[in-house]
Structures are given as structure tokens and as C-alpha cells.
Amino acid sequence: MNSNRLFNILVPLISVLIGLFAGALIMLGFGYNPITGYVALWNGAFGDLYYFGETIRQVTPYILTGLAVAFAFRTGLFNIGAEGQVIVGWLAAVWVGTTIEAPMYIHLPLAIIAAAAAGALWGFIPGLLKATRGVHEVIITIMLNYTALYSANAIVRNVLSDNEDKTPDVAATASLASEWFQNMTFFSRMHYGIFIALFAAVIMWFLIERTTIGYELKSVGFNQHASKYAGMSVKRNIILSMVIAGAFAGMAGSMEGLGTFGYMSVQSGFNNLGFDGIAVALLGANTALGVVLAALLFGTLKVGALNMPTEAGVPTELVDIIIALIIFFVASSYIIRWVILRFKKEEK
Amino acid sequence: MGLVDLLQSIIPPALFFSAPLIFTALGGVFSERSGVVNIGLEGLMVMGAFVGIIFNLTFGDALGVWAPWVSIFVAMVVSALFSVIHAVAAVSFRADQVVSGVAINFLALGLGVFLTKQWYGRGQTDMVSHQFFTRDIPFLSDIPVIGDIFFQGIYWTSYLAIALSFVAWYVLYKTPFGLRLRSVGEHPMAADTNGISVYKMRYIAVILSGALGGLGGSVFALTIALNFSHATIVGQGFMSLAAVIFGKWHPLGAMGAALFFGFAQSLSVISGGVPVLEDVPQVFLLIAPYILTILALAGFIGRAEAPRANGEPYIKGTR
């Protein structure tokens, strides 16, 4: 039956629709006009080229954190630590970007590779503990998120700056900022990173679908015992999966450090790129193409939401509620399947 | 500085910081012991803090002295209701419990800040004026030495948290209800065969965790934060989750871990006045709870073993 594939497309679509519908109900309940609200959201995301540039800017790290979560999911691992991997990646990218002098064709790749390596290390720890000691990766990654947050803050304050709240800007040779994009989009913060993010999506697709490495990773995700019996190293694959996932998230950090901001500041809390990546991965059914599309949706919602207070008076947090509901329904896909099947039966 | 003075400057703040963690961690113990992973503790605390503050601001003047107590009670009830969402997803809809917990965290913060902006026109509420105050406990504070350290300038809620830990221990380990709750977390099918309703027990456990998480959040709000904004609860829920695991899913262990984490948190605030510690960079005190939890899980500090069926939805009739 090809209905499994159909479900994989239907469930996210229905979840998004329910989420948006619930958002409309909330707006109605508080006396806003939902149409005005959603028009404001649309204008805030695509209204003119500036907003469009900002939307793409937001989509860029979402693709990468989405890939980070999705990639681990394919091996049956839940990478809730993208948040921390983003932070260490950001820190590493800015560290290389501010302290090393080199021509651009060395400096920029080096900064991005440093970010990926830092993220990979941050993924290696839970991978190793899971593989060798059977510790659940969710808890370890959560703990590492906070470790990353506080350590990075301390390093920004004491090592990369002189007791200030932000580092100096990265050197021009390590910057992803694009004058061409900026001129085209009325000086939005859109940067070349989007190409890197899309390229990473292609890499994930290729790795998972077209290589033996990907085959083994998926196989371990489906059934560890069968994979072991077939001669694959379950431990190695678990570690590898977390390392690659961490590298994706680390690169997302470099997008912020080298592209959007060009520096790193002390953060009072998480920027939620990693947590939103969970939503992106789930909605994208853990496939590369799905992640890109879901990242586009969430980027649109997040950036568009910023326009809602001015144009429609609706607090931006409405979008957070909508995203939470979408995650909730995608996670509860069992019930959506059940309802669809129920309807199908009645038709017959 | 003498030892008594030192203890007097360390222990009250440690108790003060750990009370919200203890409440929430106890909630986590109930939920996880029944086999439902609760990453949503953070969101439940956010909900508790939000409701506690809003209720206190709205009805504080009418209730006078009782305002903080009624506020935390209302926060408890609302968070318990809110946690039903997690219960429905995790138990009935067979959702991935971690994902559903993440959704709870998003939803609580989104709702809280949305409503705050709706009602107060900006991202944070006013400061409450009917919060909890520190008290000297009558008679006990007159005991020499011990009285000075443990019973002066302390919030009642800290004692409540510790007392509740013992109640939770008694309920989980000495009553039939507790045995049933633990059994559905270890081997739901065996429990089901013995006539225990797995779904009912798990619903009760998750709702209890909602109530306790709400209690923790509102106590944090009414003793430490005193208002509500997006930055009121940042990580205390996850720290409580760490306490659950560091405490090996045991109420008293969780209490001990929460006390220790609260102590570490308070140190990063008061370390200036404590010898030895004033030389330790603050960041090490901040990350200590998390690193210790990782070490505990990795088996370097005893072995932390989760309830067997933790995180698995129970589907009747499957093996």
C-alpha cells in the first residue's frame, strides 16, 4: 500500500492547517481579525524585498539545525542538543573569525570548518556515552546545552573580549555577509550562508540515500539487533550519526556568527534555533527536502510574526503557540492517521 | 569568619534557591516512575510562574496575607490541567514523549508571554507586592547555633518542599498506589495483567507532575523572580530534570540533588563572601549541576538506572 507515503505528506499538512486554524481561533477569541493578522504575517515575511531577505536569513540556520535533528533521527537518535551545538559552533566560528588573519579563501572555510568541528565534538560526547555506556542521548544533550551556554558566555566575556558583552566583529575575510544580497534586499541581513545550508541539505540527501554509510546509519535506526547481526558496528554508527548531526548544527552557529551578526554576544538564554530545528525536522519527516520546506515555513512564520504587532496589534508570541501546536499534532500523528482511516472506512 | 557565620550565609540561600527545584523534581519523579518522560517540566514551571504572578497581581489585595498561598495553589491547579495535554499526547495519542514535552515547553512560554502582552501591554508583568517573605521560625530559631543556621530568615516554602519530599517517598514506596505507579513504569504489561489500569496510572502521574511543576514555578516566581516575563524561568525545569536523574528517580535522591543544585546556584550568587569559593570563576559553579549529571549518568558517580519502560507508550495487546 502506498498510503504510508501519502500519510507522510498528509500528516504534516494537516498539522500545519490545524496549527494555523488554532491561531486564527485564538486571534478571534482576543478580538483580533484573523485575516488582518495573517495578512500582516504574510507581509512581514514577503511584503517587500527587505522582509524577503530577512526571511531567507532566518531560514538559513533553520535548515541546518533541522538537518542536525533529522539526521540523528534517521539513526534512531534524538538530538535535542542542537541548541548547544549551535552555540559552540557559533563560538568557534567567531573565535577563528576574530583571532586569525588569513586570505578569505582560507579564513572563511576555516571558520566554518571550526564551527562544524566544535558542533561535531559536542555531538560526539552524547554519541560516545550512548554507544559505550547506554546513556540516553536526550538527557546528555540537554545537560550539554546549558554547559555550552554558560561556558560560551564566560569565554565571550573573558577570552574573546575584555569583560564586554560581545566579541569584536569577525574579520572581513571570514564574513559571509553579502553586499550584493544586501543591496538587492534593502539592507536586510541576508547572507551567502543560504547556499551553504542548501548544499548541506544535498549532502544529507546524498549521504543517507546514496552511500553505504547512510544505509548503515538508517539500518541501525530501524533495528539495532539486525544491523549487528549483519555485521555492522552499531556503536560506530551511533557515534558517527551524532558527530555528523552535531557538525550540521555547528555550521548553523557559524551562519549566525559569520553571517547574520558577525560577532557573538553574551546570551541570557537560548536563541531556540536548536529547539526550532526539532520542529523543522519533525515537520519535514526527517528528509532533506522536507527539512528545507519546513525551514522555509518556520522561517516565514518567525520573521512574519515580527510584523504582526505593528500591522495587526497581535503579539508575536502567537506564532510560538502555533508552532507548539504544529509540533504537538505532528508528534501525535497516530491520532491523525486514526481519524483519516476512520473516514476512509466510512466512505466504503 | 567563623564556621557558624559561614553556614549561616550559605544554608538559607541554598534552601531558598532549591525549593522550586525540589517541587518540580518531585513532579518529574512521579511522571518518570510511571514511564512517561517529562521534558516538559520547564514548560510546567513557566505555566506555574505565569499563573502564580497573574493571580497574585489580580487578587493579591483582596486576599491580603493569604495571597501567596492561594496563588501557588491556583498555579498548581492550572498547571495540573495544562499537563493533561502532555498526558493525552504521551499516553493516549502514543506521541513521542520527548517531542510532546518540547511542545509543552513552547506552548507554555508562547501562551504565557502572549497573555502577558495581552493583559499588560508589554512583555513583562508588574512586580508583585504580595510575595512570600522570609520568617524566623518561632521557638526553633531560638535554639543556639542550629536555630541561627536553619531557622532564621527562611521561607516556609523551603520547609514545605522538604516535607513534601518525604510525603512523596512515602506515597511511592509505602502505599499500594505507589507500587502500582512504579509497576506501570517498569513493566506495564505485567501491571496490566494484574488489573492495574496503565493509562489511568500514567494520567495521574503526569497530572501530579503538572501540579508539582506548577508549584515549583509559582514558588520560584513568588520568592525569587517576583514578576513574569519570557526570562523568568530559564532552565530551572531542565535543572529539576537533572535532579530527577542525579537523584536516581527516587524522591529523596531528587531532593538531595535539588538541594545540591540550589546550593550551587546560590554559590554563584553569594560566592563573593565565601573563602575558597570566591576564587572559583562563576562559570564553573553555573555548569556544575549539568556536568555532575552527565558524570552520574555515565556511571562515574554510581549508576543511574531509569525505570525500565520510561518513554515507551503502552499499547494494549502488544508484547
Side-chain angles (χ1 to χ4, degrees), chain B residues 161-174:
Chain B
I162 292 168
L164 212 54
S165 309
F166 285 95
V167 174
W169 165 76
Y170 184 82
V171 169
L172 270 176
Y173 285 90
K174 301 290 168 195

Side-chain angles (χ1 to χ4, degrees), chain A residues 48-184:
Chain A
D48 66 31
L49 280 172
Y50 171 80
Y51 289 124
F52 177 74
E54 280 293 300
T55 303
I56 297 299
R57 197 257 317 150
Q58 184 72 48
V59 169
T60 307
Y62 276 172
I63 293 178
L64 287 164
T65 53
L67 291 176
V69 180
F71 197 88
F73 256 131
R74 293 301 279 272
T75 316
L77 299 167
F78 194 169
N79 181 17
I80 203 167
E83 201 67 52
Q85 293 148 12
V86 166
I87 292 175
V88 294
W90 188 339
L91 183 73
V94 170
W95 203 325
V96 171
T98 51
T99 51
I100 292 179
E101 277 180 45
M104 189 165 199
Y105 61 90
I106 297 175
H107 202 180
L108 182 58
L110 191 68
I112 295 174
I113 290 169
L121 173 70
W122 227 241
F124 174 75
I125 301 169
L128 181 73
L129 291 176
K130 169 93 176 182
T132 59
R133 313 201 66 119
V135 189
H136 204 292
E137 71 281 5
V138 165
I139 306 297
I140 300 287
T141 48
I142 289 177
M143 300 304 136
L144 283 177
N145 283 346
Y146 285 95
T147 312
L149 178 69
Y150 294 123
S151 311
N153 281 350
I155 292 175
V156 167
R157 268 222 180 87
N158 302 319
V159 183
L160 293 180
S161 79
D162 197 13
N163 244 334
E164 281 172 60
D165 283 344
K166 76 186 218 20
T167 65
D169 286 349
V170 295
T173 47
S175 172
L176 278 170
S178 148
E179 249 178 61
W180 182 58
F181 274 151
Q182 286 176 353
N183 287 334
M184 207 168 68

Side-chain angles (χ1 to χ4, degrees), chain A residues 7-8 11-12 15 327-342, chain B residues 88-96 199 313-316 318:
Chain A
F7 276 132
N8 280 345
V11 167
S15 306
I327 305 176
F328 181 78
F329 284 111
V330 176
S332 313
S333 60
Y334 161 74
I335 204 72
I336 298 183
R337 276 161 205 253
W338 185 80
V339 171
I340 296 175
L341 285 177
R342 195 70 188 264
Chain B
V88 170
V91 182
S92 301
F93 290 0
R94 301 174 196 171
D96 185 314
Y199 296 146
Y314 177 62
I315 303 167
K316 248 183 189 312
T318 53

Side-chain angles (χ1 to χ4, degrees), chain A residues 242-327:
Chain A
M242 283 306 288
V243 164
I244 297 175
F248 279 134
M251 277 164 67
S254 73
M255 297 298 115
E256 301 298 277
L258 305 175
T260 307
F261 295 98
Y263 58 83
M264 185 167 194
S265 50
V266 169
Q267 293 168 343
S268 62
F270 292 124
N271 49 36
N272 275 339
L273 284 175
F275 287 127
D276 289 342
I278 298 170
V280 170
L282 278 173
L283 193 64
N286 303 320
T287 60
L289 179 64
V291 163
V292 172
L293 293 176
L296 193 63
L297 175 77
F298 283 126
T300 305
L301 286 175
K302 279 276 178 177
V303 173
L306 301 175
N307 190 39
M308 288 173 81
T310 38
E311 209 173 302
V314 183
T316 46
E317 279 70 22
L318 181 75
V319 162
D320 294 331
I321 300 176
I322 294 175
I323 290 181
L325 292 174
I326 294 176
I327 305 176

Side-chain angles (χ1 to χ4, degrees), chain B residues 5-212:
Chain B
D5 289 338
L6 186 64
L7 288 176
Q8 210 182 349
S9 69
I10 291 177
I11 289 181
L15 285 173
F16 161 72
F17 274 100
S18 47
L21 301 180
I22 297 176
F23 287 124
T24 313
L26 290 176
V29 169
F30 275 108
S31 170
E32 304 234 332
R33 272 288 171 192
S34 81
V36 180
V37 169
N38 205 340
I39 303 277
L41 288 177
E42 177 90 359
L44 296 168
M45 280 187 91
V46 170
M47 193 40 85
F50 169 71
V51 174
I53 291 288
I54 297 287
F55 187 86
N56 197 294
L57 284 170
T58 316
F59 298 101
D61 290 331
L63 291 163
V65 202
W66 290 101
W69 293 102
V70 182
S71 303
I72 60 172
F73 180 74
V74 173
M76 228 171 102
V77 173
V78 175
S79 294
L81 291 175
F82 184 66
S83 69
V84 173
I85 300 175
H86 183 49
V88 170
V91 182
S92 301
F93 290 0
R94 301 174 196 171
D96 185 314
Q97 298 171 359
V98 176
V99 177
S100 152
V102 171
I104 287 286
N105 291 339
F106 273 132
L107 191 58
L109 194 59
L111 270 178
V113 180
F114 179 84
L115 291 174
T116 303
K117 284 190 177 170
Q118 198 63 39
W119 293 333
Y120 293 87
R122 56 205 162 93
Q124 64 184 59
T125 64
D126 304 328
M127 301 298 272
V128 291
S129 48
H130 299 276
Q131 72 268 40
F132 286 105
F133 292 101
T134 52
R135 291 268 182 280
D136 291 350
I137 310 300
F139 307 118
L140 290 176
S141 63
D142 298 333
I143 305 172
V145 188
I146 296 178
D148 292 341
I149 298 171
F150 291 103
F151 299 108
Q152 272 185 12
I154 294 197
Y155 292 96
W156 277 109
T157 45
S158 301
Y159 296 114
L160 183 65
I162 292 168
L164 212 54
S165 309
F166 285 95
V167 174
W169 165 76
Y170 184 82
V171 169
L172 270 176
Y173 285 90
K174 301 290 168 195
T175 66
F177 170 80
L179 183 65
R180 286 176 194 148
L181 195 145
R182 283 181 295 132
S183 74
V184 302
E186 291 293 335
H187 201 315
M189 196 169 66
D192 199 11
T193 322
N194 279 305
I196 300 167
S197 168
V198 177
Y199 296 146
K200 192 177 99 186
M201 290 312 292
R202 288 191 169 176
Y203 264 91
I204 293 174
V206 173
I207 291 169
L208 274 175
S209 82
L212 288 164

